[in-house]
């Protein structure tokens, strides 16, 4: 296992650095590392590291969502109102509908399998979007109209919404059937997650104020609480649950509200953790890809991915109707809401690991979506934000 870890870190980060030098997202190099060194090409990785890859991917998702919470100013979202709420589920819902329309005919799968695939693909990527929206807020672009805050918050809740839908559809494929309570659980789990996250964050803020400890220890405590929340959610067999992922994000939001100076320092610590977590996340998801299956899906898969993205961008356009955003700002928001990466990497392999008939094709489409949309979305954001968004000083 130690050799595998060394290869993941050295080769993954090395190829990621090369990709960044040629203006591509580093995660592309990391994915290629996993594909080449994984069991379907060179088969260098130890089986023990592959066996725990799902847990490692979940840890990476916890880190990026906590980082998002620590960076998010929730007060700015209150001014946005309706669009912020709609961005949490309308674009993802329309992308899922697009998948249901396109995938059965083009890929030869059932509607339920298309629903599972759509739930995997419908999430936007915190790995691509979060650091870029934080950069925009730091530089002051779009801040006057709360555009980065809108995209950041919407993307985070969008992920949770999609993951709950994914769990519902997977349960139906496993024979649990259609249950009204599963769909009722979607808003309930989000609300409970918000409440649990705010309460935990508030208690941690009080603890950090009373007890003076190093920031590194504070990060360890926050990570431990995050792991407990995820573990408890996994153990619950009740019809109504809570969303641990959204709770984790709101821990950071609550901490920022009550201990802002601490949240800034902890955000910096989580940024450093993400450097390592990102490498493990994308290398390990690359290692699960059966490249021999790519030839079977071919052009049809690309058409499905881009077709579903059109539905997603339409959803963003609908959310922004009636706002004071200009055409350029709306176009930017639509493009910024397209990259796929983190959630697809975290849950794309679950249907295959559960032995579902659609497992191979879901994972293949998920990775193909990452490879296509992550660089395109990152490039669209990086190359247009200075042209399409106003800098804060220009709006004063």
């Amino acid at each position: 296992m130690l050799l595998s870890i060394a290869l993941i870190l050295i080769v993954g980060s090395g190829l990621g650095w090369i990709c960044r030098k040629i203006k591509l997202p580093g995660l592309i190099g990391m994915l290629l590392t996993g594909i080449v060194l994984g069991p379907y090409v060179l088969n260098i990785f130890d089986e023990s590291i592959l066996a725990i890859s799902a847990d490692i991917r979940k840890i990476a998702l916890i880190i990026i969502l906590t980082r998002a919470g620590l960076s998010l100013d929730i007060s700015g979202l209150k001014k946005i109102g309706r669009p912020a709420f709609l961005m949490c589920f309308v674009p993802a819902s329309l992308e899922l509908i697009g998948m249901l329309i396109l995938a059965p005919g083009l890929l030869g799968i059932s509607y339920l399998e298309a629903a599972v695939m759509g739930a995997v693909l419908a999430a936007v990527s915190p790995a691509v979007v979060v650091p870029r929206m934080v950069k925009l807020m730091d530089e002051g672009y779009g801040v006057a109209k709360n555009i980065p805050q809108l995209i950041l918050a919407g993307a985070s809740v969008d992920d949770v919404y999609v993951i709950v839908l994914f769990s519902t559809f997977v349960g139906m494929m496993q024979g649990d059937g259609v249950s009204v309570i599963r769909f009722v659980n979607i808003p309930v789990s989000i609300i409970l997650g918000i409440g649990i996250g705010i309460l935990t964050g508030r208690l941690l803020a009080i603890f950090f104020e009373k007890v003076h400890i190093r920031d590194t220890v504070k990060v360890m405590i926050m990570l431990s609480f995050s792991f407990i929340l995820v573990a408890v959610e996994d153990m619950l067999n009740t019809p109504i649950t809570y969303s641990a992922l959204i709770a984790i994000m709101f821990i950071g939001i609550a901490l920022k509200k009550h201990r802002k100076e601490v949240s800034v320092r902890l955000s910096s610590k989580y940024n450093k953790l993400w450097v390592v977590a990102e490498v493990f996340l994308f290398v390990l998801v690359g290692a699960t890809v059966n490249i021999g299956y790519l030839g079977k899906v071919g052009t049809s898969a690309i058409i499905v991915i881009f077709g579903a993205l059109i539905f997603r961008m339409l959803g963003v356009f609908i959310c922004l109707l009636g706002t004071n955003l200009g055409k350029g700002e709306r176009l930017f928001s639509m493009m910024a809401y397209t990259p796929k990466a983190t959630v697809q990497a975290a849950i794309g392999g679950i249907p295959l690991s559960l032995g579902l008939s659609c497992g191979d094709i879901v994972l293949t489409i998920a990775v193909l979506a990452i490879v296509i949309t992550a660089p395109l979305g990152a490039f669209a954001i990086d190359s247009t934000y200075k042209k399409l968004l106003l800098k804060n000083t220009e709006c004063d």
Side-chain angles (χ1 to χ4, degrees), residues 156-331:
S156 301
V157 180
D158 164 287
D159 290 349
V160 175
Y161 169 66
V162 166
I163 289 169
V164 175
L165 283 179
F166 171 77
S167 300
T168 301
F169 295 140
V170 166
M172 291 166 63
M173 280 208 71
Q174 289 179 305
D176 294 346
V178 179
S179 172
V180 174
I181 197 68
R182 285 182 177 271
F183 291 97
V184 171
N185 187 44
I186 293 173
V188 173
S189 66
I190 291 174
I191 292 169
L192 287 176
I194 291 172
I196 292 169
I198 290 174
L199 176 61
T200 306
R202 183 71 180 104
L203 292 174
L204 286 174
I206 295 171
F207 177 75
F208 293 157
E209 185 177 7
K210 301 292 184 184
V211 181
H212 298 286
I213 51 179
R214 294 175 58 184
D215 289 338
T216 304
V217 178
K218 292 173 183 173
V219 170
M220 290 170 55
I221 293 172
M222 288 182 66
L223 280 174
S224 298
F225 272 97
S226 299
F227 295 161
I228 291 170
L229 286 173
V230 172
V232 171
E233 183 193 23
D234 291 341
M235 289 187 291
L236 286 177
N237 292 318
T238 56
I240 298 296
T241 59
Y242 67 92
S243 171
L245 294 180
I246 204 166
I248 289 163
M249 185 182 71
F250 270 84
I251 290 174
I253 291 172
L255 190 60
K256 180 171 183 176
K257 180 180 179 181
H258 298 289
R259 296 283 290 166
K260 187 173 183 179
E261 69 284 356
V262 174
S263 72
V264 171
R265 298 199 306 270
L266 295 185
S267 180
S268 176
K269 294 284 187 182
Y270 270 92
N271 289 347
K272 294 174 182 176
L273 277 177
W274 176 243
V275 172
V276 177
E278 182 184 32
V279 177
F280 274 100
L281 173 63
F282 291 109
V283 170
L284 288 175
V285 77
T288 62
V289 178
N290 184 348
I291 61 169
Y293 205 80
L294 285 172
K296 297 181 181 179
V297 293
T299 309
S300 297
I302 298 174
I303 294 172
V304 167
I305 291 169
F306 277 105
L309 279 182
I310 292 172
F311 277 84
R312 181 177 191 84
M313 294 176 75
L314 175 62
V316 176
F317 179 79
I318 292 170
C319 293
L320 300 179
L321 289 175
T323 65
N324 65 342
L325 301 188
K327 291 181 180 179
E329 291 165 331
R330 296 185 189 202
L331 177 60

